[in-house]
Amino acid sequence: MLELSTPVQYVKGIGPRLAEILSAKGIHTTNELLQYLPFRYEDRLNPRTIAELRPGEMATVIADVRTSGLFRTRRMPIFEMTAGQGRARLRCLWFHGTYLKDKFKPGQMVALYGKVEVDERRGDFQIIQPQFEILGDPSDERAAESAGEKFAASLEVGRIVPIYESAGQGRLTSRWFRRIIHTALENLTPDLLDPIPAAVRARMELISPREALWKVHWPDPGESLQDLQSSRTAAHLRLIFEELFFIELGLELKRREQKAQTGIAFRLDDRARAAIKKILPFHPTAAQKRVLKEIASDMEKPSPMRRLLQGDVGSGKTIVAFEAAIIAIENGYQVALMAPTEILAQQHYFSARRILENAGYRIVLLTGSLEQDRKREVRRHIAQGNAQLVIGTHALIEEKVEFANPGLVIVDEQHRFGVMQRLKLMKKGTEVTMSVAARPASKSTETKKGDTTVAPEPDVLVMTATPIPRTLALTIYGDLDLSVLDEMPPGRTPIVTRRVSDERCEEVWEFVRKQVGAGHQAYVVYPVIEENEENELKAAIKMHKEMRQRIFPELHVGLLHGRLHPDEKEHVMKEFQKGDISVLVSTTVIEVGVDVPNATIMVVEHAERFGLSQLHQLRGRIGRGAAKSYCILMTGDKVSEEGECRLDAMVRTNDGFQIAELDLELRGPGEFFGTRQAGLPSFQVANLIRDRQILEAAKREAAAVLDGPNGEISQQEVNLALRHMRTRWQHTYGLVEVG
Ligand code: ADP
Ligand code: MG
């Protein structure tokens, strides 16, 4: 008997060699094999007769092979196979089909799937490049039968048949998977525990795991083909819910564990309020007020804050972060503000000094590129508790920095981090600050209980500029509470976005000249995505020269890219900020957070090469003041279909949420959230876009289980669910330990 946890190697027909191939597909256990779902189903219950076919339809035909052969045209070799049913004929063609040379034998039964066309010359039906499966020939059947595989043939025809992606460069075919999965199901232990509590099962109307696994691979004859294709059968829904439920259970547990730690109960008294009021350079928007309230209320509680502040570019997150910082500082604690890039750290540093230093707060900048001496000095200030607000890149926490008295960690991640990266980062952040807090602390840490000093967990506020649809944010950031800045500061005129072909660049430069003449500033951005791409960088540098000498000889043109010396970068940014530079030629380093309200033009060269969210972030650099702003997307002549789609969206809307939705659709969740490089495996059966509603339900139910036990859910059920969740997380998400 097979348990779900049995290694696939022990499934009949697999063995160590094939297990290795499967392992490359992420299939290690019987359960993972059974979660390898068909990507398509074929209705071979009622296969079409050739005579019934209609041109243009997708159809499955079962017929026998009549003739086949390779012929060469001037352009390419083509493999042709004719299949027949009685007198009816169906022609199948495969371009470059040399590999099929000895594939078919006359008399074999084959299943063919593809788009039906009419062969113009002969008037027959044909399918070009059909997917096919050889269903065996008489000798095959006899062999199978003698091997005791009586069911073999019945798996291929006379039913709805599952089609799997092949593996191992085609060695493990769809047909192979069909048999193996069938065998595994037949040998699966009869007592399969349902790890989902009965009350949840009842509410969600879930069928049993065994039934779900059978039916997702071997649907009942009456099952709707459409529901199957769209993963909406009861079997699919059960498996999808299960996957999402255990992810949510893990995230929710993590959230609760973090909450259960000892944090700092900051006091928001009149003094802190007055301090906040004093620094505010403008009236906060209603959204900013609401969000600050949410943050402040977290900070007042004795459990540590774990909050995500989400707001589109330009929605005013910085000031909210500073307000939170003031609360912590006024309570005698230190604050760390971490930015993803040096430029952004510098920018935060300048803003902080502008806004906070008048109030007398001591602010330091700590980045990787500081001189050693300076670094040491800054660290000393931090360790002695002199520095109240420490701003730096993430290197700030990666190299061990000792804080005398850390109270609040603000992570400005913009959109640079994937889920797993963030979890790691947060972990590191609290680890470092924890180990620091555990040292004999300064007088303001009043957590001494007898002789042992209890280290309080600092609060953590994560800021992101990637607008994520709320339901998804709740899930992806399921371990955090969520605040959303959904309102732009007043007095902005919407940005006008235009798409222009390269060839009209002279007009564009003329327009830039006019705007600069009117006292504004411009960005010209080049697609240097990786700062180490020498050639791309050269293009930006060359363009800078060209602008200075030929296009705008009368203007001050600056250059900013990731490879400049930090001092140089800082200098350029300052000059641009002051308005001394009129046109800033730049790479995407300005994509994050740079804030110069007088800049009203953004020209993006080769806009088709940028991702949608990235373009939106870039555009967020303008439209920050009251003057009308223009985003000009210049494109070369070769733009892919998806590129067109992105550019269209940019011209159509300024709404970050709409853009995020579309980006999510275009790129898929893995790329969108950057989980690929961050090591979060993609979901096995769920699809975050398709299954949003199930996701919400899963989150709700996971919380209910953790609220248990109660009249509905027994302690035993809670334990079983948690045990199952831990195994699952360990196996699938290896990186993160829960519980
Ligand atoms: P982001 O959310 O992208 O970090 P910022 O915090 O940089 O946005 O704010 C964008 C711009 O809007 C800044 O110039 C900031 O000074 C300004 N700003 C923020 N809040 C307000 C407000 N309530 N009223 C007027 N201007 C504001
Ligand atoms: Mg910002």
Side-chain angles (χ1 to χ4, degrees):
M1 283 290 109
L2 295 168
E3 302 290 332
L4 285 178
S5 58
T6 308
V8 276
Q9 157 171 4
Y10 303 113
V11 174
K12 199 172 141 221
I14 297 189
R17 294 244 316 283
L18 296 183
E20 214 160 286
I21 300 181
L22 288 173
S23 150
K25 273 249 167 195
I27 300 173
H28 313 282
T29 62
T30 303
N31 188 42
E32 280 160 346
L33 177 67
L34 296 178
Q35 302 279 339
Y36 191 70
L37 301 195
F39 73 96
R40 184 165 77 69
Y41 297 83
E42 271 184 26
D43 182 1
R44 296 190 192 161
L45 191 67
N46 309 296
R48 315 293 304 275
T49 63
I50 293 173
E52 288 171 337
L53 296 176
R54 296 283 161 269
E57 71 176 343
M58 299 296 290
T60 303
V61 175
I62 294 175
D64 49 278
V65 174
R66 298 289 162 88
T67 59
S68 67
L70 191 68
F71 62 92
R72 292 177 189 280
T73 65
R74 244 180 312 152
R75 303 239 309 277
M76 65 183 115
I78 297 179
F79 188 80
E80 176 175 338
M81 189 269 283
T82 304
Q85 288 169 345
R87 291 163 152 227
R89 295 270 187 287
L90 177 66
R91 203 159 81 108
C92 301
L93 294 175
W94 287 268
F95 302 130
H96 297 287
T98 320
Y99 62 99
L100 291 171
K101 222 170 102 236
D102 300 313
K103 197 86 191 176
F104 301 98
K105 293 185 208 83
Q108 272 175 336
M109 290 292 281
V110 284
L112 299 154
Y113 174 81
K115 187 168 175 194
V116 178
E117 293 173 12
V118 177
D119 169 14
E120 307 272 318
R121 275 181 303 144
R122 308 189 215 175
D124 281 351
F125 285 125
Q126 69 177 20
I127 302 183
I128 306 217
Q129 316 274 86
Q131 293 181 28
F132 70 92
E133 197 171 278
I134 297 169
L135 301 180
D137 45 49
S139 60
D140 238 26
E141 284 311 321
R142 252 173 274 126
E145 241 167 83
S146 64
E149 291 182 33
K150 292 205 184 63
F151 62 84
S154 67
L155 293 186
E156 321 289 353
V157 287
R159 64 194 322 162
I160 296 176
V161 174
I163 311 292
Y164 303 89
E165 222 173 87
S166 63
Q169 272 114 33
R171 272 183 67 195
L172 307 184
T173 60
S174 177
R175 197 163 179 236
W176 182 87
F177 275 110
R178 206 175 292 145
R179 289 175 189 220
I180 287 295
I181 288 174
H182 196 276
T183 311
L185 283 168
E186 286 201 312
N187 294 316
L188 192 61
T189 174
D191 31 49
L192 206 57
L193 272 185
D194 193 335
I196 299 178
V200 177
R201 256 181 287 168
R203 248 195 314 270
M204 299 304 302
E205 299 177 4
L206 300 180
I207 61 174
S208 77
R210 164 176 292 278
E211 192 185 350
L213 288 172
W214 267 106
K215 291 195 170 161
V216 82
H217 294 285
W218 301 103
D220 288 340
E223 190 59 88
S224 139
L225 215 56
Q226 196 188 337
D227 285 353
L228 283 167
Q229 304 296 25
S230 56
S231 304
R232 290 297 88 149
T233 65
H236 281 98
L237 294 177
R238 149 87 213 194
L239 297 178
I240 292 167
F241 179 84
E242 184 179 325
E243 177 167 42
L244 295 174
F245 174 77
F246 286 108
I247 285 172
E248 289 305 318
L249 198 61
L251 287 172
E252 181 65 20
L253 184 65
K254 210 169 171 62
R255 205 169 79 92
R256 292 184 185 206
E257 282 171 351
Q258 283 172 341
K259 283 269 152 83
Q261 287 172 314
T262 316
I264 306 160
F266 294 98
R267 275 194 307 273
L268 182 52
D269 52 16
D270 289 344
R271 209 184 62 178
R273 274 179 222 282
I276 290 176
K277 261 220 184 91
K278 221 165 60 192
I279 62 114
L280 277 182
F282 32 59
H283 288 292
T285 62
Q288 283 170 322
K289 278 190 205 156
R290 188 192 65 235
V291 163
L292 179 65
K293 234 196 213 139
E294 289 164 359
I295 293 172
S297 129
D298 274 5
M299 291 181 74
E300 286 183 282
K301 287 183 195 137
S303 61
M305 167 167 77
R306 294 290 178 269
R307 189 169 278 278
L308 175 71
L309 170 54
Q310 185 183 316
D312 204 350
V313 275
S315 59
K317 292 183 292 295
T318 315
I319 199 77
V320 174
F322 288 165
E323 288 172 323
I326 291 176
I327 298 176
I329 296 174
E330 288 293 330
N331 277 266
Y333 287 89
Q334 289 173 297
V335 178
L337 168 54
M338 306 185 303
T341 65
E342 241 176 74
I343 290 195
L344 197 57
Q346 274 160 14
Q347 164 110 14
H348 278 316
Y349 178 64
F350 296 141
S351 322
R353 285 202 0 210
R354 200 174 61 231
I355 297 172
L356 298 176
E357 219 157 46
N358 288 338
Y361 299 122
R362 291 181 304 274
I363 305 164
V364 296
L365 177 67
L366 180 63
T367 55
S369 62
L370 287 183
E371 304 280 324
Q372 283 305 325
D373 286 356
R374 177 75 192 135
K375 246 195 232 171
R376 244 194 311 275
E377 197 188 321
V378 171
R379 280 162 190 270
R380 195 162 43 78
H381 279 302
I382 300 172
Q384 291 173 346
N386 293 336
Q388 293 171 300
L389 173 57
V390 181
I391 299 175
T393 49
H394 295 122
L396 177 72
I397 49 159
E398 263 140 42
E399 303 168 30
K400 293 221 164 180
V401 176
E402 305 212 333
F403 283 77
N405 197 19
L408 172 67
V409 178
I410 302 170
V411 184
D412 185 0
E413 70 174 25
Q414 298 293 338
H415 58 295
R416 298 245 154 166
F417 295 109
V419 188
M420 285 294 129
Q421 262 171 315
R422 182 179 51 76
L423 281 178
K424 273 200 276 190
L425 191 71
M426 290 232 320
K427 187 149 173 282
K428 224 168 198 174
T430 46
E431 250 169 30
V432 172
T433 43
M434 272 263 295
S435 70
V436 177
R439 288 167 352 119
S442 63
K443 51 189 178 303
S444 48
T445 317
E446 282 154 18
T447 42
K448 282 197 177 150
K449 288 184 190 156
D451 268 340
T452 48
T453 305
V454 179
E457 273 282 299
D459 281 355
V460 177
L461 177 67
V462 180
M463 303 199 286
T464 173
T466 309
I468 306 167
R470 187 175 174 88
T471 55
L472 291 187
L474 285 173
T475 303
I476 292 303
Y477 294 97
D479 55 330
L480 305 180
D481 295 308
L482 180 64
S483 288
V484 182
L485 275 181
D486 50 6
E487 180 187 355
M488 285 290 171
R492 314 252 171 123
T493 26
I495 302 165
V496 177
T497 303
R498 290 275 177 274
R499 199 186 142 179
V500 177
S501 148
D502 275 359
E503 291 154 17
R504 292 173 52 196
C505 65
E506 290 305 327
E507 286 168 59
V508 172
W509 304 140
E510 188 48 42
F511 181 71
V512 170
R513 198 170 289 120
K514 264 214 199 107
Q515 285 284 312
V516 171
H520 300 298
Q521 291 163 277
Y523 297 99
V524 180
V525 181
Y526 278 82
V528 182
I529 316 291
E530 299 283 336
E531 291 291 338
N532 52 7
E533 298 246 336
E534 204 69 49
N535 284 337
E536 294 185 340
L537 198 56
K538 262 190 210 140
I541 293 168
K542 201 174 127 211
M543 199 58 205
H544 169 241
K545 201 168 153 199
E546 165 113 352
M547 291 216 172
R548 245 182 26 192
Q549 294 173 351
R550 189 185 66 82
I551 306 175
F552 305 119
E554 75 283 13
L555 301 179
H556 188 169
V557 182
L559 175 67
L560 188 68
H561 59 76
R563 292 265 204 98
L564 289 179
H565 188 274
D567 286 348
E568 181 75 17
K569 271 191 247 177
E570 185 177 335
H571 180 71
V572 172
M573 273 318 296
K574 265 195 187 141
E575 277 196 309
F576 191 61
Q577 219 134 27
K578 278 193 298 189
D580 292 348
I581 291 177
S582 310
V583 177
L584 183 62
V585 177
S586 163
T587 63
T588 46
V589 291
I590 60 138
E591 170 190 352
V592 273
V594 171
D595 184 25
V596 180
N598 190 45
T600 58
I601 309 170
M602 161 134 324
V603 180
V604 182
E605 293 238 28
H606 293 291
E608 74 277 8
R609 293 196 202 158
F610 291 88
L612 190 49
S613 291
Q614 202 175 22
L615 284 174
H616 181 65
Q617 294 287 332
L618 281 170
R619 183 169 59 181
R621 300 305 113 218
I622 56 171
R624 296 188 150 236
K628 193 163 178 176
S629 293
Y630 303 87
C631 174
I632 300 163
L633 305 173
M634 291 223 272
T635 55
D637 45 4
K638 274 180 291 180
V639 181
S640 69
E641 205 175 307
E642 209 190 292
E644 291 289 346
C645 224
R646 292 192 295 259
L647 296 166
D648 265 7
M650 285 295 294
V651 172
R652 209 172 49 235
T653 180
N654 270 312
D655 181 332
F657 279 88
Q658 277 186 34
I659 290 198
E661 293 260 353
L662 185 67
D663 200 20
L664 191 60
E665 261 166 53
L666 287 176
R667 290 194 294 166
E671 292 279 338
F672 179 84
F673 292 114
T675 48
R676 280 244 177 109
Q677 84 271 19
L680 183 70
S682 46
F683 294 91
Q684 279 187 290
V685 294
N687 172 320
L688 283 187
I689 302 170
R690 185 190 64 200
D691 302 326
R692 267 184 218 185
Q693 280 177 347
I694 307 177
L695 192 67
E696 269 183 87
K699 184 177 176 64
R700 208 174 48 232
E701 296 297 344
V705 169
L706 289 179
D707 287 341
N710 50 32
E712 275 200 319
I713 299 171
S714 72
Q715 181 67 57
Q716 254 168 332
E717 285 181 310
V718 174
N719 293 348
L720 175 65
L722 287 179
R723 218 169 37 240
H724 189 83
M725 179 273 292
R726 289 201 177 94
T727 328
R728 236 173 142 120
W729 273 68
Q730 259 159 28
H731 282 184
T732 320
Y733 313 110
L735 266 164
V736 190
E737 78 287 354
V738 186

